[in-house]
Amino acid sequence: MAEDTPQLGTRERILRTASLLMQRQGYEGTGIKQVSQEAGATLGSVYHFFPGGKQALAVAAVQHADQEFADMLSASLSGEADPAKAVAACARALAGHLRDSGWVDGCPISATALETVGRAPEIEQAVAQAFQHWRDLVADTLREAGFPEDDARDLAITIINTLEGAELTAQVFKSETPLLVAGEHLARLIGSYRG
Amino acid sequence: MAEDTPQLGTRERILRTASLLMQRQGYEGTGIKQVSQEAGATLGSVYHFFPGGKQALAVAAVQHADQEFADMLSASLSGEADPAKAVAACARALAGHLRDSGWVDGCPISATALETVGRAPEIEQAVAQAFQHWRDLVADTLREAGFPEDDARDLAITIINTLEGAELTAQVFKSETPLLVAGEHLARLIGSYRG
DNA sequence: GTCTATACCCCGATAGAC
DNA sequence: GTCTATCGGGGTATAGAC
């Protein structure tokens, strides 16, 4: 675990560590003791900042990951004028990042999502908000490029879904191919609405 | 938990129960004691049939889910002559099944996959084999419909990925929409290769 | 093959001194 | 805000009678 810059506040360090560990190990696989140790904090501090316990920590970690991923998404999407090219570039960026991490840093919240769906409503809601947030960023990009409202909304749904699935598959196969192919297919799909 | 038909062998009961629980709760969230209880077996029986412990049980459960899902996929794909329509029908079938389960029975192995990727090689390999198996079924369907080898292979990758991501998203939003939209977009993508 | 008992460990959570 | 000690429970896994 990378030591975070020491001038970071304790709460922030706990949050980042929890978010990273839950990305890699999921909700059930991540212990509060492990979070406190790798964050360089004590167990008491964790419960001081997150009195709601593990669930509250997970909600905050998901929200933190939401913002981080949204920032990366925005940067990727604004790099190209053509949204089809922008989405393909985004897929390539995700593939590179995944490979650089040794195939462990995929979607920051999908493991937690799958473990808690239908079983921990507060976490589930935070996950839904994140997905909706990312969708909206994509839909906005499409709308600004001139796509009609309905097409933009539907395309945004599929774009996020497909990247999600491709990232999972890329992790399992330890290969960039699923993400790269997904990027090209999504560009093709977007292009098919242009004609 | 539905009581399985009692004439089923103990090993088979354990396997089905483990597969179902890991589908809903993931690998880390599913305990061997819970599996044994809900399967109507004793803890000793579980270790009798799966001396490798929890990891070996998970590998067998993933392989079991692989076969079950492959059967459902084959049935869906062979229901329509046009592969574009067949994939859309498959998405609708998944959506209906997911809804009927109260949004808990999504992809049977993705939770386990995300929790164990890079951390439990044997389970990871079983997951990769399942994904490859499903891909091959789709690729075969496309090839039989006259698609060139390369296109069939790439399309199969994206089709499985997209269904995977759409199922996750449908669970989180408790809505059939992501799967239905994915089905239509995949049909459109397949159609775009028809010239 | 089935069952019970148990060893050993780590989990989430709390209490209370500082 | 930080830290230590600890509680109660559940986790995986094993031993050995039947």
Side-chain angles (χ1 to χ4, degrees):
Chain A
M1 189 72 37
E3 298 289 316
D4 276 325
T5 50
Q7 64 264 36
L8 233 53
T10 304
R11 202 192 113 100
E12 191 68 15
R13 252 165 33 236
I14 292 168
L15 212 46
R16 292 190 187 200
T17 306
S19 183
L20 186 69
L21 288 175
M22 286 183 186
Q23 174 180 37
R24 297 181 180 173
Q25 308 176 344
Y27 176 73
E28 299 284 355
T30 300
I32 293 194
K33 281 179 183 167
Q34 186 188 10
V35 171
S36 70
Q37 282 167 14
E38 300 203 4
T42 61
L43 191 60
S45 289
V46 175
Y47 281 95
H48 171 74
F49 288 110
F50 301 95
K54 193 179 182 182
Q55 284 210 8
L57 177 59
V59 168
V62 167
Q63 289 167 345
H64 180 263
D66 172 3
Q67 267 305 329
E68 261 201 343
F69 189 78
D71 291 344
M72 187 209 185
L73 198 59
S74 294
S76 258
L77 290 176
S78 61
E80 295 265 4
D82 177 6
K85 287 183 184 167
V87 168
C90 184
R92 283 194 300 272
L94 289 174
H97 188 246
L98 184 57
R99 165 183 278 254
D100 289 345
S101 76
W103 313 106
V104 297
D105 287 347
C107 170
I109 64 172
S110 53
T112 298
L114 280 166
E115 287 173 310
T116 59
V117 66
R119 309 174 73 228
E122 297 137 47
I123 301 175
E124 209 180 349
Q125 198 197 344
V127 170
Q129 277 178 9
F131 281 1
Q132 188 62 54
H133 185 190
W134 302 343
R135 257 188 204 174
D136 289 346
L137 290 175
V138 174
D140 288 349
T141 301
L142 291 169
R143 233 175 291 132
E144 283 164 20
F147 283 76
E149 174 64 28
D150 287 1
D151 291 346
R153 207 195 52 232
D154 282 0
L155 280 171
I157 292 175
T158 291
I159 289 166
I160 296 297
N161 288 352
T162 301
L163 292 178
E164 208 77 54
E167 195 139 46
L168 162 59
T169 309
Q171 285 190 260
V172 168
F173 285 110
K174 303 189 195 307
S175 159
E176 299 184 62
T177 305
L179 273 163
L180 300 182
V181 172
E184 285 168 31
H185 279 154
L186 286 173
R188 190 186 182 102
L189 178 68
I190 295 168
S192 81
Y193 278 81
R194 270 271 132 94
Chain B
M1 189 71 37
E3 299 289 317
D4 275 327
T5 50
Q7 63 262 35
L8 234 52
T10 304
R11 202 192 113 100
E12 190 68 15
R13 255 165 31 235
I14 291 168
L15 211 47
R16 293 190 187 201
T17 305
S19 183
L20 187 68
L21 288 176
M22 286 181 186
Q23 174 179 38
R24 297 181 180 172
Q25 308 176 344
Y27 175 72
E28 299 284 355
T30 300
I32 294 193
K33 278 180 182 166
Q34 186 188 12
V35 171
S36 71
Q37 282 166 14
E38 300 203 5
T42 61
L43 191 59
S45 288
V46 175
Y47 280 95
H48 172 73
F49 287 109
F50 301 96
K54 193 179 181 181
Q55 284 211 7
L57 177 58
V59 168
V62 167
Q63 289 167 344
H64 180 263
D66 173 4
Q67 267 304 329
E68 260 200 341
F69 190 79
D71 291 345
M72 186 210 186
L73 197 60
S74 294
S76 258
L77 290 176
S78 59
E80 295 265 3
D82 178 6
K85 287 183 184 169
V87 168
C90 184
R92 283 194 300 274
L94 289 174
H97 188 247
L98 184 57
R99 164 183 280 255
D100 290 346
S101 76
W103 313 107
V104 297
D105 287 347
C107 170
I109 63 172
S110 52
T112 297
L114 281 166
E115 287 173 311
T116 59
V117 67
R119 311 175 67 229
E122 297 137 46
I123 301 175
E124 209 180 349
Q125 198 196 348
V127 170
Q129 277 178 8
F131 281 1
Q132 188 62 53
H133 184 190
W134 303 343
R135 255 188 205 174
D136 289 345
L137 289 175
V138 174
D140 288 349
T141 301
L142 290 170
R143 231 174 293 131
E144 284 165 18
F147 283 75
E149 174 64 29
D150 288 0
D151 292 346
R153 205 195 53 233
D154 282 359
L155 279 171
I157 292 175
T158 290
I159 288 166
I160 295 297
N161 288 352
T162 301
L163 292 177
E164 209 76 54
E167 195 139 48
L168 161 59
T169 309
Q171 285 190 260
V172 168
F173 285 110
K174 303 189 196 305
S175 157
E176 298 183 63
T177 305
L179 273 163
L180 299 183
V181 172
E184 284 168 32
H185 279 154
L186 286 174
R188 189 186 183 102
L189 178 68
I190 295 168
S192 82
Y193 277 81
R194 271 272 129 94

